[in-house]
Amino acid sequence: MTDNGSKTSAAGPLDGVTVLDLTRILSGPYCTMILGDMGARVIKIEQAGRGDDTRGWGPPFINGESGYFLSVNRNKLSVTLNFKHKAGRKILNSLIDQADVLVENFRPGTLDKIGLGFTEVSQRWPKLIYCSVSGFGQTGPKRKLPGYDAVVQAEGGLMSITGPRDGTSYRLGVAIADIVSGMFAAQGITLALLSRERTG
């Protein structure tokens, strides 16, 4: 495992909580970074052989590391793992055994195909908090569509109020839909942790 940034010495409110991060790009990593900033131990699972796609995004690169990757993956441990392979799945299962939270942002249905969807996972690990981040939810008619920030800005109408009046619409310069999604996911997880603490 590699360390994506040092934690401060003071324990945070989520000290003792372990988060398994199966996310990539922005919304999911932003969510788990917030949890790491609050003291959780975050273990990021990256694609074997290449890691998170954003490791190659730049410039800037800082000592050979993508500035973009570092900006949303601080306070995490990283491991590359092919969990579609039998040996990789065994390792992943042992990590889930230790986890309080699992966060994923695959397209809905993707993890179901390999037995890692909510239904299967919650049966084996009933106290695990399972958070899925997606563009269009898990059940709606558009659920299988990719949920990139620009798509959500357009579908939600945000682009229509950005730019000159009666002119061309513009995408916001910051990926606000992804960032807000990550913030809401982190809030939902912390509330789920509180609920689990109270009710078991």
Side-chain angles (χ1 to χ4, degrees):
M1 264 186 225
T2 59
D3 189 342
N4 294 333
S6 301
K7 285 194 176 289
T8 58
S9 57
L14 294 183
D15 186 47
V17 171
T18 297
V19 176
L20 199 54
D21 179 356
L22 273 61
T23 70
R24 61 229 177 275
I25 313 295
L26 181 53
S27 59
Y30 192 79
C31 164
T32 55
M33 181 186 72
I34 291 171
L35 300 175
D37 289 349
M38 290 190 288
R41 177 180 184 234
V42 179
I43 303 170
K44 181 175 177 70
I45 306 298
E46 299 187 51
Q47 188 176 353
R50 50 187 281 204
D52 189 298
D53 291 340
T54 62
R55 283 190 178 272
W57 291 9
F61 290 96
I62 302 154
N63 298 324
E65 295 270 9
S66 162
Y68 183 97
F69 175 83
L70 294 173
S71 75
V72 291
N73 287 291
R74 66 176 175 255
N75 289 334
K76 299 180 187 181
L77 300 169
S78 282
V79 61
T80 57
L81 185 64
N82 179 359
F83 53 80
K84 292 179 183 175
H85 188 274
K86 187 177 179 180
R89 180 58 177 274
K90 186 175 179 181
I91 294 168
L92 182 65
N93 286 349
S94 71
L95 291 170
I96 298 174
D97 283 338
Q98 305 167 43
D100 297 286
V101 177
L102 183 149
V103 186
E104 63 89 8
N105 65 349
F106 287 88
R107 207 179 283 188
T110 301
L111 293 181
D112 293 325
K113 295 174 188 172
I114 58 172
L116 284 171
F118 171 74
T119 302
E120 296 85 357
V121 170
S122 65
Q123 287 173 358
R124 181 165 176 182
W125 295 279
K127 289 194 171 188
L128 182 76
I129 293 162
Y130 190 108
C131 177
S132 295
V133 180
S134 66
F136 297 98
Q138 301 295 308
T139 59
K142 294 186 176 185
R143 73 184 195 96
K144 293 195 175 183
L145 295 176
Y148 298 109
D149 184 88
V151 172
V152 174
Q153 284 191 33
E155 289 268 345
L158 190 56
M159 285 185 187
S160 70
I161 59 169
T162 307
R165 185 184 297 269
D166 301 321
T168 303
S169 298
Y170 291 105
R171 177 179 179 264
L172 271 69
V174 66
I176 194 69
D178 278 344
I179 290 170
V180 170
S181 296
M183 291 170 65
F184 283 141
Q187 182 183 35
I189 289 166
T190 55
L191 291 171
L193 285 165
L194 176 62
S195 178
R196 189 182 72 176
E197 183 70 22
R198 289 178 171 174
T199 67

